[in-house]
Amino acid sequence: MSTPGRGLHGHVLDTLGPEITAGEYPPGSVLRTDELAQRFDVSRSVMREAVRVLESMHLVESRRRVGVTVRPKAEWNVYDPQVIRWRLAGADRPHQLRSLTVLRSAIEPVAARLTAQHATAEQCAELTECALGMVAHSRGHQLEGYLRHDVAFHRVILTASGNEMFARLGDVVAEVLTGRTQHDVMFEDPDPAAVTLHVRVAEAVRARDADRAEELTREITVGALRELDILVP
């Protein structure tokens, strides 16, 4: 699926990006822009624009008289939502899901504690609305509707924490939640216990119970790791 708003170079990225992140071009591989332009039937200017995007993600680097060189995985911008999406679509999915879920387990409980302390009345109401939306879509194979409310719930937790670093992880969490659904790394219906935990987190935040909000959110992330043990061994 092409990335909206990227035109011809988006078409190139939708193929070349996943190939690089899947290891089809190992680190140190040299890509020739002229050859790539011919392969994708695009102009060299379009190809250069695609390369600039890949450079911004630290997937490649351009050198005069050398070409476009694939960088080591350790140098990739692994927080870039597009890089996450590409990795989740490939063979690296199990490792990527586990890595991102461990990240969530380290960050989100602390964010929930801060949210209970700092959230505005409007943010508390939004969190409750998201949790109730999750409940409403938790049966009958409504995973897309459930996902929409789940992503919104976790964005509120990260944003309402008042910590701008946590808030910037909203897109990262959105990608892992979306990837779980799109790549069928989910039960047919969400775990009822997990759905209930989200409602209880919203209640704890509204009650300004920081300890409870942190404890319940940790239960959510631990449960997500357990699901991976079952579904993506």
Side-chain angles (χ1 to χ4, degrees):
M1 185 173 62
S2 295
T3 306
R6 287 190 177 178
L8 287 173
H9 80 276
H11 166 67
V12 174
L13 288 170
D14 290 337
T15 302
L16 196 54
E19 288 177 349
I20 292 172
T21 57
E24 293 183 33
Y25 294 101
S29 299
V30 176
L31 312 178
R32 305 292 180 186
T33 53
D34 285 352
E35 294 174 3
L36 291 171
Q38 186 175 13
R39 173 191 170 189
F40 291 103
D41 192 23
V42 297
S43 68
R44 280 179 291 181
S45 63
V46 168
M47 199 61 237
R48 283 194 296 269
E49 179 61 28
V51 168
R52 277 196 289 270
V53 175
L54 294 173
E55 284 183 298
S56 74
M57 299 172 177
H58 297 180
L59 296 181
V60 303
E61 61 180 341
S62 297
R63 294 180 184 172
R64 293 188 65 182
R65 301 189 182 89
V66 175
V68 179
T69 306
V70 177
R71 299 174 68 161
K73 184 184 292 188
E75 297 177 4
W76 295 354
N77 181 3
V78 293
Y79 288 101
D80 187 293
Q82 185 68 74
V83 173
I84 292 171
R85 201 172 308 147
W86 288 336
R87 294 179 71 189
L88 286 175
D92 197 31
R93 185 182 307 143
H95 175 266
Q96 176 76 151
L97 279 170
R98 193 164 301 280
S99 178
L100 289 166
T101 304
V102 169
L103 174 68
R104 288 183 59 202
S105 70
I107 297 298
E108 288 198 68
V110 179
R113 164 177 284 278
L114 292 171
T115 294
Q117 295 169 339
H118 302 299
T120 64
E122 290 77 11
Q123 287 169 327
C124 289
E126 185 180 358
L127 198 63
T128 298
E129 183 180 348
C130 293
L132 293 178
M134 292 173 69
V135 172
H137 291 84
S138 63
R139 287 289 174 268
H141 312 309
Q142 302 182 77
L143 287 181
E144 288 299 329
Y146 181 87
L147 171 65
R148 185 171 65 254
H149 293 285
D150 194 13
V151 168
F153 181 96
H154 291 281
R155 281 193 186 278
V156 174
I157 288 290
L158 292 166
T159 302
S161 70
N163 183 300
E164 72 277 11
M165 304 298 288
F166 288 175
R168 288 297 297 274
L169 291 174
D171 288 343
V172 172
V173 173
E175 287 299 334
V176 68
L177 294 174
T178 300
R180 289 193 319 169
T181 299
Q182 291 183 343
H183 298 293
D184 299 321
V185 189
M186 284 277 285
F187 297 108
E188 288 189 355
D189 281 325
D191 178 10
V195 178
T196 300
L197 282 172
H198 284 76
V199 175
R200 291 165 66 190
V201 169
E203 292 171 347
V205 168
R206 193 168 62 247
R208 305 298 182 188
D209 189 338
D211 289 342
R212 188 70 172 145
E214 180 177 1
E215 175 190 350
L216 292 166
T217 304
R218 183 163 286 109
E219 285 189 49
I220 291 172
T221 58
V222 168
L225 280 168
R226 275 199 301 264
E227 284 186 5
L228 287 184
D229 290 336
I230 296 170
L231 297 168
V232 191

